[in-house]
Amino acid sequence: MRRLERPTLLLIPTTSPGSSKVGGLPDLPLGVVWPKGEGEALAFVAQIDIETFRKHGAFDWLPERGRLYLFFDDDRNGAADCGTLIYTNDPPGPERVAPPDLARSRRFLERRVGFRQFASFPSPDWFDEDWPGHNMDWSGFRGLEDCDFGDEIEHRIGGYPGAIQDGQMQIECEYLWRGQTRDYRDDVPETIRVAARQWRLLLQIDSDPALNMNWWDGGRLYVFIRARDAKRGDFSKIVTITQTH
């Protein structure tokens, strides 16, 4: 288990000034356009300043600085590209007014966030193995299991996803990226398994009632990126997965 451990950063409420937030309005740099889908403006979900969280825990597959702005397209839910991520090193601009065609149900309240590092560990589904993960003795592991979040909110960066449904999300990412549908009656080809090892959880955004943010029935958004793409700052190549209860 120690070999499988990955750090994760929990996004925690803060009153300290900073440019990381969940919900609210983005501080988009001047000249950066609020993204639109086929129908209307996309919902703004989160804004993350990479440099400010590095003192809490660095990821060697992320650049050292820059800001991420995550938007979501309801009309594309279930497709690999339902999430849109803007990455820039330009300084943030003033808080952007929401476009008039943005649905009221997708205008979220704001929570400024800081960061706290924990250890995360894979679920049995992550490796498609049948081992007794919930019966393990977690003493000595300072992971999320020690924090007893229960039904609490888990906005996170990095680590393993807190999956709601069964399945191998890294394998699902590779299939979605290739535009293919997995046939669960067949074994996963080795080429898919090898390629899937590159996928990393970039962001996990939970339903958050205090922000009027609900992903269907208390679900979550998971944004994945390949390590090599993130390292060179190419955040256009992401896969967004949604899960709900």
Side-chain angles (χ1 to χ4, degrees):
M1 288 304 296
R2 286 292 185 200
R3 290 196 302 271
L4 299 176
E5 176 184 332
R6 289 181 183 175
T8 188
L9 292 179
L10 190 69
L11 276 57
I12 57 173
T14 183
T15 56
S16 300
S19 55
S20 294
K21 64 176 84 171
V22 175
L25 295 169
D27 307 324
L28 288 170
L30 297 176
V32 175
V33 178
W34 189 303
K36 294 177 67 72
E38 294 181 4
E40 57 190 18
L42 304 188
F44 170 65
V45 179
Q47 170 180 310
I48 303 294
D49 188 323
I50 295 175
E51 191 170 11
T52 59
F53 73 63
R54 291 185 68 83
K55 64 182 179 183
H56 300 279
F59 300 97
D60 60 7
W61 46 272
L62 281 177
E64 294 187 0
R65 58 187 59 84
R67 276 156 298 281
L68 299 169
Y69 301 86
L70 175 63
F71 296 82
F72 185 77
D73 188 346
D74 274 302
D75 294 333
R76 297 289 299 166
N77 182 37
D81 60 351
C82 60
T84 294
L85 200 60
I86 296 173
Y87 169 73
T88 177
N89 274 301
D90 294 335
E95 196 170 74
R96 190 71 59 89
V97 176
D101 63 342
L102 178 62
R104 290 289 171 184
S105 62
R106 286 307 190 218
R107 299 184 184 211
F108 308 120
L109 300 178
E110 178 184 289
R111 175 178 290 125
R112 294 278 172 173
V113 294
F115 309 94
R116 183 183 301 156
Q117 182 173 333
F118 292 99
S120 70
F121 301 92
S123 67
D125 287 319
W126 184 262
F127 292 111
D128 197 22
E129 296 289 343
D130 185 19
W131 48 266
H134 356 293
N135 298 326
M136 288 186 60
D137 177 11
W138 290 99
S139 59
F141 289 87
R142 186 177 179 270
L144 292 170
E145 290 75 10
D146 300 313
C147 304
D148 191 23
F149 284 107
D151 294 328
E152 295 296 319
I153 296 160
E154 268 189 54
H155 304 308
R156 294 203 276 120
I157 298 172
Y160 295 99
I164 295 173
Q165 301 172 1
D166 296 339
Q168 296 174 272
M169 295 177 77
Q170 82 281 29
I171 298 290
E172 185 179 349
C173 283
E174 188 61 27
Y175 274 105
L176 284 169
W177 178 252
R178 297 179 182 215
Q180 300 175 5
T181 301
R182 179 179 178 181
D183 187 337
Y184 285 87
R185 297 169 298 181
D186 297 336
D187 292 335
V188 177
E190 187 62 18
T191 53
I192 296 282
R193 289 191 179 278
V194 171
R197 295 172 190 160
Q198 272 285 312
W199 290 101
R200 299 289 184 272
L201 176 68
L202 178 59
L203 283 170
Q204 173 181 297
I205 302 295
D206 218 328
S207 289
D208 196 327
L211 306 183
N212 296 329
M213 181 181 286
N214 183 35
W215 307 113
W216 300 278
D217 187 13
R220 286 172 176 163
L221 302 183
Y222 307 88
V223 180
F224 289 86
I225 190 169
R226 290 177 296 196
R228 62 176 180 269
D229 293 328
K231 185 68 175 177
R232 63 172 178 255
D234 186 356
F235 288 87
S236 64
K237 299 175 181 178
I238 61 170
V239 168
T240 305
I241 294 175
T242 59
Q243 289 189 351
T244 188
H245 294 278

